[in-house]
Amino acid sequence: MTGSPTPLVVVGDALLDHDLCGRAERLAPDAPVPVVHGTRRSSRPGGAALAACLAAADGRPVTLVTALGADAASDTLRELLADRVALVEVPLEGALSSKTRVLAGDRPLLRLDDGEGRAREAAPGAVAVIADARGVLVADYGRGTADVLREALAHTAAPVVWDPHVRGRPPVPGVRLVTPSAQEARAFARQLDADDEAAGDTAGLRTAARDARTLVWAWRARAVAVTLGERGALLSYGESPLLVPTPAAATGDPCGAGDRFAAAAAGLLADGTLTEAAVQGAVHAATRYVAEGGARAVAVADRQETAAEPVADGDTTADAVRTAARVRAAGGTVVAAGGCFDLLHAGHVALLQAARRAGDCLVVCVNSDASVRRRKGDGRPLVPAADRVRVLRALECVDAVAVFDEDTPERILGELRPHIWAKGGDYARTRLPEQPLVESWGGQVLLLPYLDGRSTTGLARRAALAPAPTEGHTK
């Protein structure tokens, strides 16, 4: 394919998602439940809105057709979607559905769901957008948007990818590709055959192949791709299926991986790609999505959130996460480096300049004042976090700065998901505690030369021994 990506219309049920991410290191004294502390709250588009944002991150123009109302959750989602996608609304009856996940690291502990709003009726503007579309993705989350626009979807000339939900209706006949998960395909196949006695292993290839064949014929779809998580996807036209494996193992939060798969497949089919190649591209896109942090890449820190310690120029950590996500979405390499950076000196600058040359952006992870005190003693830091951040951000080689309060930077690295974690060459004989984490998503620890004879401790000692200014002299 050459030229600009084809515009895509995403039709479906938008959700508002919240994540409360923290650490769980003990159980509560009054019940055997984890205590989550040090939480950071972020919000992001969910459902069809997430699929639309992911498609837009591929560089293509995206129009989202969804149901929104006059409730607070709908207003928040409108703000999150601004400047990302064009929005065409149909009326919503009730409050927009939202869900809140409580996570310890990458592991979800609890989910809270609110709002049962449903699309009330079609809107002329939405019908016109679908009629003029050159590519359509239906992200059905069972809340009525696809139902009220079903006639328009049945008559569009554009290639349609339908990502179904067990609470929704079957796809309209003739869609180019349907993309259920293995669990969804199993549930749909059982609905079609009450006597179905297939094995309970929903990830089994034999079961997935049989379910895909059943759905192709029952739904009169041109193809069905059953997604199998880390195993890839199984593509069926109704006969012998094609297994499309993942290019590499990816660990991380899989939330939204199905949306990433469907969005990539729909975009590629709109561009004129053959179905097999579109499914292969979608498998690769979903694998990268999980490896690079999943849905957190489109999250925005809530404005009411405050950092543990004030830093210069607003919430620099949230800005760092957004910077990393933006560079990843453009196919660039994210580099991170970390340290106290108390009394910035030539050794620090040489390290940061070398780190920036290794990729397309550099995020510096800085110990908070409390973290420095635990590591260096009560006399440190000499320079407070707000000033250290301001100085680092003034360097041309630094794109963003994130402050972390823990003794080691694993938590903030889990949010940034850098491709490269750069450290000074003085760590060459030491296995860094964060190395297994960085390698878990395919990242690499990179050691860089360190200038000898430069250290904050040495600078502080020499400054303390310097003679006091004589009378009549100023600093």
Side-chain angles (χ1 to χ4, degrees), residues 309 339-345 348 366-385 388 405 427 450 454-464:
E309 299 182 33
C340 301
F341 298 101
D342 201 5
L343 290 185
L344 192 72
H345 54 70
H348 291 142
V366 180
N367 297 74
S368 70
D369 291 347
S371 177
V372 175
R373 281 192 294 271
R374 290 193 299 270
R375 294 189 59 196
K376 305 289 188 178
D378 290 338
R380 300 283 295 274
L382 301 170
V383 178
R388 288 184 281 132
D405 194 49
Y427 287 91
Y450 199 85
R454 279 81 169 180
S455 75
T456 298
T457 302
L459 282 174
R461 184 180 298 115
R462 290 194 295 274

Side-chain angles (χ1 to χ4, degrees), residues 8-326:
L8 186 68
V9 174
V10 178
V11 180
D13 308 299
L15 312 174
L16 178 63
D17 290 348
H18 307 285
D19 283 346
L20 278 170
C21 302
R23 305 185 302 281
E25 298 164 347
R26 61 187 178 91
L27 296 179
D30 55 340
V33 295
V35 175
V36 181
H37 61 101
T39 57
R40 294 177 58 83
R41 181 183 176 92
S42 61
S43 300
R44 54 184 166 80
L50 174 60
C53 289
L54 294 173
D58 290 335
R60 68 179 67 250
V62 174
T63 299
L64 172 62
V65 178
T66 193
L68 293 176
D71 55 292
S74 292
D75 289 340
T76 298
L77 186 59
R78 290 185 182 98
E79 293 179 8
L80 292 174
L81 294 174
D83 301 323
R84 294 189 181 187
V85 301
L87 188 60
V88 175
E89 298 184 20
V90 300
L92 178 72
E93 186 74 36
L96 183 72
S97 297
S98 64
K99 65 174 184 278
T100 301
R101 297 190 306 166
V102 181
L103 302 98
D106 283 334
R107 179 170 298 180
L109 302 179
L110 177 70
R111 197 181 97 181
L112 306 173
D113 287 11
D114 294 295
E116 294 293 335
R118 291 187 61 85
R120 186 172 69 239
E121 60 188 2
V127 173
V129 165
I130 295 171
D132 294 338
R134 297 167 60 188
V136 175
L137 166 61
V138 179
D140 185 8
Y141 277 77
R143 290 167 173 83
T145 302
D147 292 344
V148 300
L149 294 167
R150 192 172 182 85
E151 184 175 355
L153 293 168
H155 290 92
T156 181
V160 177
V161 172
W162 197 293
D163 195 17
H165 193 286
V166 291
R167 293 174 54 182
R169 294 174 63 185
V172 298
V175 301
R176 182 73 61 86
L177 182 68
V178 188
T179 60
S181 68
Q183 292 83 357
E184 290 166 341
R186 185 87 288 275
F188 286 125
R190 282 177 174 158
Q191 291 172 8
L192 293 167
D193 184 358
D195 297 326
D196 187 295
E197 297 293 339
D201 178 15
T202 57
L205 292 179
R206 290 181 61 187
T207 300
R210 191 171 83 168
D211 291 343
R213 182 174 63 249
T214 297
L215 298 178
V216 167
W217 297 113
W219 288 342
R220 288 183 284 165
R222 294 174 63 175
V224 169
V226 178
T227 56
L228 304 171
E230 62 184 14
R231 301 181 70 177
L234 196 71
L235 174 62
S236 175
Y237 298 99
E239 300 298 338
S240 299
L242 171 69
L243 177 64
V244 181
T246 57
T251 60
D253 184 1
C255 179
D259 296 299
R260 173 69 280 194
F261 178 91
L268 290 169
L269 288 175
D271 291 337
T273 306
L274 296 176
T275 302
E276 292 92 335
V279 170
Q280 184 177 33
V283 167
H284 285 228
T287 302
R288 289 194 305 272
Y289 169 85
V290 173
E292 294 178 353
R296 295 189 203 180
V298 297
V300 176
D302 286 3
R303 286 175 300 193
Q304 65 266 32
E305 178 184 335
T306 56
E309 299 182 33
V311 297
D313 300 327
D315 188 349
T316 60
T317 299
D319 178 65
V321 173
R322 287 192 293 269
T323 297
R326 186 166 57 250

